[in-house]
């Protein structure tokens, strides 16, 4: 048996600061160092790392049968290329996370709260982080003191708005745990979602809570996708690199810590704060280990301190903000509920079967076992979507990760679930909600027309060629009116055996307008394929396409094209290839498909999104884009708005030509319902 040594006593809180304390283990250590814990019992030698001689953290198994902490092993292999114990040749990508059994044994090790001078609680290691954020008085005090020092007054914020700067980003950055050099407000950023109305003096929310955190992802294969769709970049109105979507069953989805709306600040110590979109793609395609520093929204912190004692306020749970959870009951997707199950003993099963769905990410309740604790409680129902358990965000989680959280829980298990309107009606609710209709897409109206954002444009090309009737054009296509986001028909590859490859004018990513005068812009995928086959049989083919352009500097463009060609050519499945998000920005307005999204709310809560764009002296007229969607708000629970969506109209009134000071009042005047007309392009896949 190994006796572990306490690295930091934790007996005194003198000199502690929120900026320096680790948000996971509560100790003070460098961000690159391993977490520190005060273990209360002797730990079996089999659970001790051979490098740091401490209980394993994120254990990794080597092919030769040894187990090390992930941090220890990755640091060691940066200098060496062999196993520390038997010196067999070894690389990090050959290692695999240890079994669930080993991780469970490590999670159950007993530790003491590092702030034992005031908080003498002991718990399992996996429960320390929730304890720190929800129950530890020292941790809560440090966080509140830091927020008070950083948070400006509401009058100061409103004064900034009058100076032509968006008030939301100032309030937004006031609560971030990151370097002050990143806290500068961005010109043109407005946050009507965060604005507090003049009459809203007794609002329950006080400020946004956001934190910078480090997430490490490992590619098993160099070309494997992380499963992130991203938008933004310094060459776009968004500025920052923002996660738009997490792809189901991907590396990022299985990890579970990243979520849509997270801003990626750094990758492997490479700053993404001021890089163009294509450069960010190249950095995120680095092989093996990626260390992402991301800024994550946590939602609004409660102002009512009595509620604050009963509800966690700083977790990633979208349902930990009870005012928003209750207020969303009028939204189309359904009602958010909090249910706490109390076990008679720690090992008592809850009697819940969890599943995943093929058409939607997340964890759902399949069945409640008769006689089980959940069935007896009666508050959870079949088909409820599990948003969080004990403060752990499961919007993109798996049944396995949910089961692990439940198994590691103490006597109380807190669920945050979303119940659809149909389920409420089946349960006898008096609510008269109806199924949300399928989104109706429509061509961008003439009153909504606009030029592409600054730095983006498009040009039309026409290719006329004579060919043998049986000779193929040599292109593959995707898109069509029936695809997601109503993308136009575009070229995914130009094969070297076709006549278009020899011509060299048509490129991958070009949008097809017509062939031999037949319009392709309003066809479904299958219709477009049929037309192309029919027209290709002719001896004369006239093809019209649109190519979108980005006006980056020549050096950046050449470098990025080289990087992207390498990445794109490594993928064999050309049918799944999609253009980068920035390519869609250059399309002319008449090629856009819009849809109306209706948001509803109650009381004086915020809509829950921030916006960039509008008129700026340095950039001229820019479209309005969604930059942030705040957890626990109507925009978040509705689920249809995405970061990077362009807002083209509000309640039918076009936003084209508006500046910030015109759009803010328009959104604030909408008390309980607003209709947003948006154009949504899929983010770039990495």
């Amino acid at each position: 048996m190994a006796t572990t040594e306490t690295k930091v006593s934790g007996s005194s809180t003198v000199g502690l600061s929120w900026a320096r304390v680790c948000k996971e283990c509560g100790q003070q250590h460098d961000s690159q160092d391993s977490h520190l814990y005060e273990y209360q019992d002797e730990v079996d030698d089999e659970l001790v790392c051979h490098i740091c001689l401490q209980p394993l953290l994120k254990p990794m198994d080597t092919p030769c049968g040894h187990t090390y902490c992930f941090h220890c092993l990755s640091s060691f292999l940066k200098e060496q290329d062999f196993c520390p114990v038997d010196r067999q040749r070894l690389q990090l990508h050959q290692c695999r996370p240890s079994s669930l059994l080993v991780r469970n044994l490590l999670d159950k090790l007993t530790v003491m709260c590092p702030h034992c001078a005031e908080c003498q609680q002991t718990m399992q290691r996996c429960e320390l982080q929730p304890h720190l954020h929800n129950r530890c008085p020292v941790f809560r005090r440090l966080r509140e003191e830091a927020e008070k020092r950083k948070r400006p007054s509401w009058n100061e914020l409103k004064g900034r708005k009058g100076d032509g700067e968006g008030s939301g980003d100032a309030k937004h950055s006031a609560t971030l745990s990151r370097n002050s050099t990143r806290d500068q407000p961005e010109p043109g950023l407005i946050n009507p979602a965060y604005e507090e109305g003049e009459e809203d003096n007794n609002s329950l929310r006080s400020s946004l809570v956001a934190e910078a955190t480090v997430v490490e992802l490992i590619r098993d294969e160099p070309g494997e996708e992380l499963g992130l769709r991203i938008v933004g970049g310094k060459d776009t109105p968004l500025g920052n690199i923002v996660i738009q979507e997490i792809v189901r069953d991907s590396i990022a989805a299985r990890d579970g810590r990243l979520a849509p709306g997270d801003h990626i600040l750094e990758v492997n110590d490479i700053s993404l704060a001021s890089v163009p979109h294509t450069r960010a793609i190249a950095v995120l395609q680095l092989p093996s280990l990626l260390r992402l520093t991301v800024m994550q929204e946590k939602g609004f912190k409660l102002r009512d301190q009595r509620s604050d004692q009963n509800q966690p306020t700083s977790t990633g749970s979208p349902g930990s903000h009870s005012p928003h959870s209750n207020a969303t009951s009028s939204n189309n997707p359904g009602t958010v509920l909090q249910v706490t199950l109390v076990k008679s003993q720690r090992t008592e099963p809850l009697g819940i079967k969890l599943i995943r769905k093929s058409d939607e990410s997340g964890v759902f309740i399949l069945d409640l076992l008769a006689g089980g604790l959940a069935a007896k409680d009666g508050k959870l129902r079949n088909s409820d979507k599990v948003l969080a358990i004990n403060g752990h965000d499961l919007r993109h989680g798996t049944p396995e990760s949910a089961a692990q959280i439940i198994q590691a829980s103490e006597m109380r298990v807190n669920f945050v679930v979303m119940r659809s309107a149909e389920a409420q009606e089946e349960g006898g609710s008096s609510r008269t909600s109806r199924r949300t209709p399928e989104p109706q897409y429509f061509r961008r109206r003439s009153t909504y027309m606009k030029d592409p954002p600054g730095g983006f444009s498009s040009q039309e090309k026409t290719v006329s060629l004579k060919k043998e009737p049986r000779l193929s054009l040599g292109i593959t296509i995707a898109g069509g009116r029936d695809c997601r986001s109503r993308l136009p028909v575009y070229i995914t590859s130009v094969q070297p055996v076709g006549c278009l490859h020899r011509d060299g004018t048509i490129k991958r990513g070009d949008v097809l307008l017509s062939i031999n005068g037949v319009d392709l812009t309003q066809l479904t995928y299958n219709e477009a394929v049929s037309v192309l086959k029919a027209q290709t049989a002719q001896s004369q083919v006239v093809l019209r396409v649109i190519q979108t352009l980005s006006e980056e500097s020549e050096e950046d463009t050449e470098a990025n094209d080289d990087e992207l060609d390498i990445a794109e050519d490594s993928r064999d499945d050309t049918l799944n290839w999609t253009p980068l998000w920035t390519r869609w920005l250059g399309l002319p307005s008449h090629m856009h498909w819009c849809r109306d999204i209706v948001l509803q709310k109650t009381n004086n809560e915020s809509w829950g999104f921030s916006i960039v764009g509008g008129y700026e002296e340095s950039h001229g007229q820019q479209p309005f884009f969604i930059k942030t969607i705040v957890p626990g708000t109507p925009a978040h629970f509705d689920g249809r708005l995405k970061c990077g969506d362009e807002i083209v109209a509000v309640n039918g009134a076009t936003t084209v030509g508006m500046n910030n000071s015109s759009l803010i009042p328009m959104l604030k005047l909408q008390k309980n319902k607003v209709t947003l007309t948006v154009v949504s392009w899929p983010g770039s896949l990495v």
Side-chain angles (χ1 to χ4, degrees), residues 298-300 317-321 323-325 328 395 605-606 630-637:
K298 303 300 183 183
F300 287 107
S317 167
S320 63
H321 314 281
H324 300 293
S325 299
T328 54
R395 288 172 290 165
E605 64 176 328
S606 75
V630 185
T633 60
H636 168 259
F637 287 126

Side-chain angles (χ1 to χ4, degrees), residues 13-137:
T13 60
V14 177
L16 279 178
S17 68
W18 178 252
R20 295 182 59 194
V21 73
C22 174
K23 307 308 183 292
E24 184 167 337
C25 70
Q27 305 272 21
Q28 295 190 83
H29 61 78
D30 294 336
S31 60
Q32 305 303 323
D33 292 343
S34 298
H35 298 301
L36 307 176
Y37 295 96
E38 300 191 37
Y39 298 93
Q40 298 303 292
D41 303 311
E42 290 186 347
V43 179
D44 192 288
D45 290 338
E46 299 298 327
L47 299 178
V48 172
C49 173
H50 293 291
I51 298 177
C52 67
L53 303 181
Q54 293 294 312
L56 291 157
L57 297 172
K58 296 183 180 178
M60 299 289 291
D61 295 336
T62 68
C64 52
H66 300 102
T67 305
Y68 306 95
C69 300
F70 172 77
H71 278 294
C72 297
L73 184 59
S74 59
S75 298
F76 181 86
L77 292 178
K78 287 179 181 178
E79 305 294 334
Q80 307 293 342
D81 62 351
F82 54 81
C83 173
V85 173
D86 59 18
R87 303 181 71 84
Q88 290 189 32
R89 190 61 62 90
L90 179 65
Q91 293 183 346
L92 187 60
H93 68 82
Q94 298 174 317
C95 303
R96 296 291 182 269
S98 297
S99 68
L100 181 62
L101 174 62
V102 173
R103 285 178 280 158
N104 284 342
L105 290 173
L106 289 163
D107 284 342
K108 292 180 179 181
L109 295 177
T110 303
V111 299
M112 175 175 281
C113 176
H115 311 302
C116 56
E118 298 182 43
C119 179
Q120 299 180 351
Q121 295 290 319
T122 59
M123 65 217 73
Q124 293 184 354
R125 192 174 77 177
C126 63
E127 297 169 349
L128 178 61
Q129 186 177 9
H131 163 81
L132 292 171
H133 286 274
N134 302 328
R135 297 184 294 276
C136 178

Side-chain angles (χ1 to χ4, degrees), residues 290-592:
L290 288 180
R291 184 180 295 107
L292 278 62
T293 303
V294 297
M295 186 275 288
Q296 297 182 317
E297 292 283 4
K298 303 300 183 183
F300 287 107
K301 181 184 176 183
L302 303 183
R303 177 175 294 171
D304 187 342
Q305 293 303 317
R306 289 172 299 179
S307 300
D308 200 33
Q309 295 174 0
N310 298 322
Q311 299 292 342
T313 60
S314 295
T315 68
S317 167
S320 63
H321 314 281
S322 59
H324 300 293
S325 299
N326 296 334
T328 54
S329 60
S330 63
N331 289 348
N332 285 333
T335 302
V336 176
L337 305 171
Q338 296 198 41
V339 177
T340 300
L341 301 179
V342 182
K343 298 182 285 188
S344 58
Q345 54 183 355
R346 197 175 180 284
T347 57
E348 181 183 6
L350 300 184
I352 301 175
K353 287 186 177 180
L354 301 173
I355 62 166
R356 67 177 72 189
K357 292 186 176 181
S358 59
D359 58 344
E360 187 176 355
S361 62
V363 181
F364 294 82
I365 295 178
L366 172 65
D367 193 18
L368 303 177
L369 301 182
L373 182 59
K376 291 178 181 178
D377 180 79
K379 295 177 182 177
L380 293 174
R381 295 183 190 170
N382 296 351
S383 300
D384 283 353
K385 181 174 183 178
V386 181
L387 303 178
I389 299 178
N390 288 351
H392 296 271
D393 191 343
L394 289 170
R395 288 172 290 165
H396 300 274
T398 63
E400 293 78 13
S401 60
Q404 186 174 357
I405 296 170
I406 294 173
Q407 292 170 4
S409 64
E410 297 180 345
M411 305 297 285
R412 299 170 65 89
V413 185
N414 182 54
F415 286 82
V416 180
V417 300
M418 176 179 286
R419 183 166 301 158
S420 65
E422 294 81 3
Q424 296 174 55
E425 291 175 350
E426 293 171 4
S429 171
S430 60
R431 181 176 302 279
T432 58
S433 302
R434 296 179 179 178
R435 176 180 295 274
T436 304
E438 290 296 316
Q440 298 297 316
Y441 288 84
F442 54 90
R443 277 295 183 97
R444 192 161 180 154
R445 301 189 178 106
S446 59
T447 53
Y448 299 161
M449 294 301 178
K450 59 129 186 98
D451 293 328
F456 296 89
S457 61
S458 62
Q459 68 178 20
E460 185 175 324
K461 299 183 295 185
T462 301
V463 175
S464 179
L465 50 89
K466 293 183 178 181
K467 53 179 285 297
E468 296 294 329
R470 294 185 178 182
L471 183 62
S472 169
L473 290 177
I475 59 173
T476 57
I477 65 169
R481 275 195 59 185
D482 54 337
C483 78
R484 185 181 180 186
S485 300
R486 296 303 192 270
L487 297 176
V489 177
Y490 60 92
I491 297 173
T492 60
S493 70
V494 180
Q495 304 295 334
V497 296
C499 52
L500 285 177
H501 181 268
R502 293 195 299 269
D503 180 83
T505 306
I506 302 298
K507 305 289 185 183
R508 177 161 64 171
D510 289 352
V511 174
L512 291 170
L513 298 179
S514 68
I515 181 169
N516 290 346
V518 180
D519 186 8
L520 300 173
T521 61
Q522 301 194 52
L523 303 183
T524 65
Y525 171 78
N526 288 330
E527 290 171 344
V529 170
S530 298
V531 170
L532 286 171
K533 287 182 177 179
Q535 297 301 321
T536 303
Q538 307 296 324
S539 59
Q540 178 82 16
V541 173
V542 179
L543 202 63
R544 290 174 54 238
V545 301
I546 281 184
Q547 181 181 44
T548 54
L549 307 171
S550 176
E551 300 172 4
E552 295 180 25
S553 67
E554 293 184 3
E555 293 181 2
D556 286 347
T557 302
E558 291 174 2
N560 290 331
D561 283 346
D562 291 342
E563 291 166 340
L564 290 173
D565 285 343
I566 294 172
E568 291 173 351
D569 291 341
S570 66
R571 300 179 185 178
D572 297 328
D573 191 359
T574 57
L575 294 177
N576 293 331
W577 179 89
T578 57
L580 298 183
W581 177 74
T582 48
R583 291 204 185 185
W584 299 118
L585 299 186
L587 276 183
S589 291
H590 67 84
M591 298 290 296
H592 293 184

Side-chain angles (χ1 to χ4, degrees), residues 245-312:
E245 186 179 358
I246 308 290
V247 178
R248 182 192 174 102
D249 293 330
S250 61
I251 295 174
R254 291 191 293 270
D255 179 82
R257 289 174 290 175
L258 295 174
D262 290 352
H263 290 220
I264 304 178
L265 307 179
E266 293 180 353
V267 178
N268 290 3
D269 298 325
I270 301 172
S271 175
L272 299 188
S274 58
V275 301
H277 187 82
T278 50
R279 173 59 182 163
I281 295 289
V283 172
L284 285 165
Q285 288 177 339
L286 294 173
S288 192
L289 171 66
L290 288 180
R291 184 180 295 107
L292 278 62
T293 303
V294 297
M295 186 275 288
Q296 297 182 317
E297 292 283 4
K298 303 300 183 183
F300 287 107
K301 181 184 176 183
L302 303 183
R303 177 175 294 171
D304 187 342
Q305 293 303 317
R306 289 172 299 179
S307 300
D308 200 33
Q309 295 174 0
N310 298 322
Q311 299 292 342

